[in-house]
Amino acid sequence: MAARIILFDFDGTIADSLDSIVKITNRLSGEFGYKKTTEEDVENLRNMNSLQIIKTSGVPIFKIPFLLQMVKLELNHEIQNLKPTAGILESLHTLKQKDHKLGIVTSNSLENVKAFLERNEMTKLFSFIHAGSTLFGKNKAIRRFLKKEGVSPESVIYVGDETRDIEAAKKAKIKVIAVTWGFNSKMVLAKHNPDLAIDKPQDLIAAIERLQ
């Protein structure tokens, strides 16, 4: 198959960070005035899109950027505890061996992503990292990437675990693979019509071949 540029979301797709993020947001609940999240709440939230989650939280929209910044800062202290999603490392190595260029586009911080990649000996797998996009600004980050690298949308595939990843890829006119092992559930991801959805990292190679 022809070489492609494969862009990945970070949290929930590459890094198994959901538990850490829940722990951090619970710690910050008093400061930002929302209730702590239980295991049952997490399952309910997985079936919501990002806007629904914000509305359910009761956090004023103007406080969201400050909350996200605090989560990123707190997550920096959790990096040593984060592991790659089970099975993702093998799939990334296979894609690299097939001469695909791999990159990351994430709303997490560059410092956090680099620290995670270095700790897990994954730095050489990725040709570029575009970090720090706003919650709903990934489409702009993807477009900036396309312009900077001089590549056409047809040569790029995005891989992510949230509904906003699907929406961002569609706005940027690139194909998108939704993964069901991250934050959003298979049911809600399907409602946003990704090009493909996969249930485990081992399915990633075949999915990319199908989108050639």
Side-chain angles (χ1 to χ4, degrees):
M1 62 181 165
R4 302 288 296 259
I5 294 172
I6 318 296
L7 299 179
F8 289 85
D9 170 55
F10 179 70
D11 288 294
T13 302
I14 291 174
D16 186 5
S17 54
L18 178 58
D19 287 346
S20 291
I21 289 173
V22 170
K23 184 164 66 174
I24 290 167
T25 54
N26 279 344
R27 280 206 304 263
L28 296 171
S29 61
E31 183 176 346
F32 286 88
Y34 56 85
K35 70 182 184 70
K36 292 184 178 182
T37 304
T38 66
E39 288 186 19
E40 184 179 353
D41 291 332
V42 172
E43 287 308 307
N44 291 331
L45 292 172
R46 292 189 74 231
N47 290 315
M48 300 181 190
N49 63 36
S50 299
L51 281 174
Q52 289 171 327
I53 292 169
I54 290 171
K55 289 178 181 178
T56 300
S57 74
V59 179
I61 195 73
F62 72 89
K63 284 189 176 182
I64 296 296
F66 300 103
L67 174 58
L68 293 177
Q69 188 62 30
M70 286 296 295
V71 171
K72 291 176 192 178
L73 290 171
E74 291 286 318
L75 195 57
N76 185 259
H77 303 301
E78 299 281 339
I79 287 296
Q80 67 272 14
N81 300 320
L82 297 187
K83 301 294 182 185
T85 298
I88 194 69
L89 198 53
E90 294 81 359
S91 292
L92 292 173
H93 277 292
T94 300
L95 290 171
K96 188 77 171 176
Q97 290 165 4
K98 291 178 178 291
D99 293 326
H100 294 298
K101 281 190 174 181
L102 310 183
I104 293 172
V105 176
T106 177
S107 52
N108 207 323
S109 70
L110 184 62
E111 181 183 5
N112 287 348
V113 174
K114 283 188 170 181
F116 175 87
L117 296 180
E118 288 171 6
R119 185 171 181 82
N120 291 283
E121 300 182 348
M122 299 171 69
T123 304
K124 292 182 179 179
L125 288 170
F126 296 96
S127 301
F128 25 74
I129 303 169
H130 288 256
S133 63
T134 60
L135 187 63
F136 296 103
K138 274 192 179 179
N139 62 305
K140 294 177 183 177
I142 293 170
R143 285 174 175 152
R144 284 196 299 270
F145 161 77
L146 295 175
K147 185 175 182 180
K148 180 181 178 183
E149 301 295 330
V151 296
S152 66
E154 294 77 20
S155 64
V156 181
I157 297 171
Y158 192 77
V159 182
D161 69 313
E162 294 186 57
T163 58
R164 64 191 177 101
D165 294 322
I166 300 172
E167 292 166 356
K170 287 180 178 291
K171 286 179 181 177
K173 295 180 168 48
I174 64 174
K175 292 180 179 178
V176 57
I177 297 172
V179 303
T180 64
W181 60 77
F183 182 75
N184 275 137
S185 69
K186 188 173 186 176
M187 178 185 71
V188 74
L189 290 170
K191 289 180 180 178
H192 285 72
N193 298 312
D195 293 286
L196 286 174
I198 59 175
D199 296 324
K200 54 185 186 296
Q202 292 84 348
D203 296 333
L204 190 55
I205 313 303
I208 289 169
E209 288 178 351
R210 285 181 62 186
L211 293 180
Q212 291 292 81

